[in-house]
Amino acid sequence: MKGDTYWAWSPDPAIVDRAESGGAVTSLLKFALESNQVDAVLAVKARDGNRYDGIPVLIDDPEEVAATAGALHCVSPNMARCLKEFLDGASDLRVAVTCKPCDAKAIIELVKRNQINLENVLLIGLNCTGTMRPVVAQRMMEEEFGVDPFDVASEDIEDDKLKIRLRDGSEKERDLAELEAKGLGRRENCRRCDINIPTMADIACGKWGAEGREATFIEVCSERGADFIDRAVEGGHIKVEQPSAEALESRRAQDRAATELARQWQERDFGEFQAMSLEERFDYWFGPSGQFSQCTKCFGCRDACPICYCKDCYLEADRGVVPRGEIPPDAMFHMIRAVHVMDSCVNCGQCEDACPVEIPLSRLIFMLNRQLAPIFKYEPGMDVSAAPPLRMVTEEELSLSGVELTL
Amino acid sequence: MNLQYVPTICPYCGCGCGMYLVLKDGRIVGEEPWKEHPVNEGTNCPKGKNAYKFLYSDDRLKKPLIRKNGTFREASWEEALSLVAEKLKGVPPESFGAIASGKGTNEEAYVLQKFARVIMGTNSIEYCARFCHSASVAGLLPTVGSGTMETSQLDIERADCILIAGVNIKETFPMIAKKVLRAKRKGATVIVIDPRRTVTVSYLGDLHLQLQAGTDVALINGMMSAILAEGLENKEFIETRTAGFDELRAALSATSPEQAADISGVAAEKIKEAAIAYAKAERGCILFDEGITQHTTGSDNVAALADLALLTGHIGKPGTGVNPMRGQINGEGAGDMGCVNVFYPGFKQVGQESAEFFQNAWGVEHLPTEPGLTYMDIIHKCKVIYLVGTNPVMAAPDSTNVKRALDNLDFFVVQDIFLTETAKHADVVLPAACWVEREGIHAWVDRRVQKINKVIDPPGEAMPDWWIICRVAEKMGYKDKFNYASAGEIFEEIRSCVPQYKGITYERLEKKAGGIQWPCPSEDHPGTPTMFVEAFGTPDKLGHFQAVEYKPPAEVPDADYPDVLITGRNLFHYHTGTMTRRTDTLNSEVPEAYAEINPEDATRLRISSGSRITLETRRGRIEVTAKVTGRVPQGSIFVPFHFSESCANILTNPALDPKSKMPEFKVCAVKEEV
């Protein structure tokens, strides 16, 4: 049932060995393929075993799933975009997708916009407290941990520390806050992310609540997820145990702490923008040395953004809205981008990752989203039946005097 | 359904940005960020984001073409190759010239120069770098001993003073602009030398030295004299690592910032300010390109910049140097491979000694020992030309006479991916594979060697350049010297005779995002980000000052042609437009040619943006749409050279720098008609 929780692990010793935390997710993905509940699995793989180079992979052979086991913290491929753009939104492909909370939220927002067929998608949610940019991570490994980045066998974020384990088994840790004060550590949007457990997926899997066991804590988040887990358990594809009350509480406590930290980062980062006077803001964004003045119209932000889905984009040269061939583009380029997506920003940070001139796009647009959220009581990516407020006109709104709907 | 994310490197400019190509069932359907790549960290410019689209253009060349009675007909490879071999046989060395591609792989460049030298017996092998950095080699060889970029791109953000001379990096090297922006945000001072107020000036520059086109030597000499007047020269560096300072100081005593101001039009105070900022910096970095090199005084301009760097000791440390920015993906590599009339592979000077070295390496005899013809001489003096992947009708100066010369050839072979403006003049056109349609390596701007893997098949019957050249060689009886089964075999041969590449292997390149920077002498050597750390490449290991004097451009405005024509580039297009004008997203941003005209001049001519005007020089006339903007100074017109319907090089002056044979693309006299 929705809400059920488990400690889960793989019955296959080889998978337990290969994976982290008991290999439950690996076994579940295999099961999904073997039982023909899905045609393929969309997961993230370290290309050639490189922990700094994560690519989406589409797997239809259950034997290939194990190669994607283990959390990669130094990569952030755009899973929602892959599903929407390159897999036809799962229109005729049944696919299980491993997803962090932001990936899952992005997919749900795209479902609302008819870009992804939710019927065909099984969302295997993965807890996440943040990922790092690969180039920054490599520099951090060298400068702060004093190791060759390619000697790192795994990384983890736990108890406010960034912990690494090297190939020789030795471990090192550094204080996360200290690293992030220096501009190292997690991607900025990740620091501000207050949703670490993907309850918007079909199941949410993670280490919190596993209490040091070689097991994954699984929370069932939907009826579909319940059905999937029940079948997996019945068929012996994963072994499960009931988590203790302490485990549940510990998980809640860790989640609260991470959320609290995220809210502090939000306050700090958004506070910087909000502290500026109107004049300062105009200058900061639109002035001659403003952020947008550096833009070279690469459309990287638009391409990466899961909320930007229009095939015939308003910003392109042939639409005649933004004057063609100008750099920096007219301010309307960024204004339109912001207005079109801000009610639904899922804080994936892909826009900021894609910007060649390092405009703090994610910080801006998620800040705007946080201001809209309480006004419209709308949390992006959580409930597939909640309509994006700036896209929809409600009955109530239509009945207000002075409101007209023109088509 | 088969979905693959395959990493590769952008085919456009010298930065060498990584990207993923997304393949669905074997067809490229998208481009995604490759976040691990150190040059661009998952970001790309507009060209990079759209880079794969031209590959699937309908008008890709798919079959060999033979000209008969003025039109082309399709032919088989057998027929076309046999014809080429027949026509090349017996052509005397002085009548043959080969022109290599700035976009071909190292393997392809190497095979073409070997063909020219072994089979045709000539050193008349050149490539487009004659038109961009021949002046850099002429200016840097005597001063520092090597004509390559000295700092790694990745270290530019460590500089605290960046002098950008004659390059509009925001539009032409966007990833290097990103590094400069980072440096600037950390407090670096950015000085831009450019006759135009480009976007680089507006959005990166702190100080704009807006000089009259072609007065760079005067300006730089003025800067150096200001540094000496303030006693800010780096005495220790000069003492320990240079020679010829006294002669430089004596020569500079005849100059001054005030004199520089008179000649260049830049205020003396500004010249001093820039000079002092650069001299006082911890790490001063000079970035320069066509605005410095493409002049009849190009090599002098470069030598002056080298003097400036040596004078202040801003050389030999990461984030410093006097850095030529080769704009093509293989601008560096094709030169490394010896596609230059005076260099065998690895920069061995053409002469007896080098000929013997390669006779030994290649198992041949009688390699040519005399320098070959340079690019423009090949065009005008040879009878038979074999040209690969380059477009002189659009890119060489005085296009009208280039076309005439090509039509006068006895035989003209063009190997390319589209029927370009140049290919239209060929007798035989051979369809080539490009970019991810074949395997090979390139050397990007900072000597960064990276590998391109084959990801899709070429269209129709197109084949890799190296394969085509080898087949011709075979038909000419040289199978045993051109017996390569793969690009990898060619690369092994390159490694064995080009010491700078010896330690680079395909395996090492596959494993390292960002590749390896040469020199890399052995397989356990990590590569060399920074040049000249301990010694210069000169025989005595010292930097040699070379005093140069200001000379005006070959053709300056006069009563008949009262304005200055400057040619250059736009962000959304690349060079002669072969790839970008076939890419909808890019071409719709900038769909037509334009000429930038200053508002005062526009008023005088009674035109506005959108008016059609005619530009005329002593070489010819073009019609173009006016774009009125204060970015170009009064009395100057700027025209990008991407548009065949308004070919800027119909106007340009073929006058050459005597030291480097570099044409003066950046200055000539023009008049406007409405």
Side-chain angles (χ1 to χ4, degrees), chain B residues 627-648:
Chain B
K627 182 175 172 180
V628 181
T629 168
R631 291 201 173 282
V632 68
Q634 194 268 316
S636 294
I637 313 263
F638 173 83
V639 181
F641 72 109
H642 311 301
F643 305 96
S644 65
E645 65 277 19
S646 306
C647 172

Side-chain angles (χ1 to χ4, degrees), chain A residues 43-222:
Chain A
V44 180
K45 187 169 169 188
R47 197 181 63 84
D48 282 348
N50 180 350
R51 301 190 67 78
Y52 305 93
D53 192 3
I55 51 172
V57 285
L58 192 67
I59 301 170
D60 56 19
D61 178 355
E63 294 316 305
E64 288 181 14
V65 175
T68 64
L72 298 168
H73 291 82
C74 303
V75 303
S76 51
N78 196 336
M79 298 299 272
R81 176 167 168 80
C82 179
L83 187 58
K84 168 195 73 156
E85 191 74 21
F86 304 122
L87 297 175
D88 291 327
S91 59
D92 55 10
L93 178 81
R94 297 168 307 150
V95 59
V97 184
T98 57
C99 46
K100 316 191 300 300
C102 56
D103 299 316
K105 290 194 296 177
I107 289 170
I108 286 169
E109 285 299 313
L110 283 165
V111 168
K112 297 180 193 181
R113 290 160 173 78
N114 296 324
Q115 300 306 301
I116 290 179
N117 179 4
L118 191 59
E119 295 265 299
N120 278 352
V121 177
L122 178 64
L123 291 173
I124 308 291
L126 306 173
N127 287 10
C128 177
T129 43
T131 56
M132 292 175 276
R133 287 185 174 175
V135 172
V136 171
Q138 286 176 12
R139 200 172 88 228
M140 181 186 69
M141 297 303 179
E142 282 170 359
E143 291 175 11
E144 299 292 326
F145 287 84
V147 304
D148 178 343
F150 296 96
D151 276 344
V152 177
S154 71
E155 342 65 27
D156 202 7
I157 295 169
E158 208 183 303
D159 303 324
D160 301 329
K161 302 240 181 285
L162 178 56
K163 301 181 180 178
I164 62 173
R165 188 163 42 83
L166 304 179
R167 286 190 207 287
D168 64 9
S170 62
E171 294 182 355
K172 287 180 175 242
E173 65 178 47
R174 289 292 310 275
D175 186 73
L176 191 63
E178 245 178 65
L179 292 170
E180 289 178 355
K182 294 184 186 183
L184 301 169
R186 297 168 300 166
R187 292 156 73 221
E188 275 198 30
N189 65 293
C190 294
R191 299 178 205 169
R192 295 185 285 264
C193 174
D194 51 16
I195 300 189
N196 306 107
I197 300 176
T199 52
M200 76 298 293
D202 292 304
I203 62 175
C205 311
K207 293 222 295 271
W208 288 344
E211 304 295 275
R213 286 169 171 68
E214 212 171 0
T216 301
F217 189 109
I218 297 181
E219 177 182 342
V220 174
C221 303
S222 71

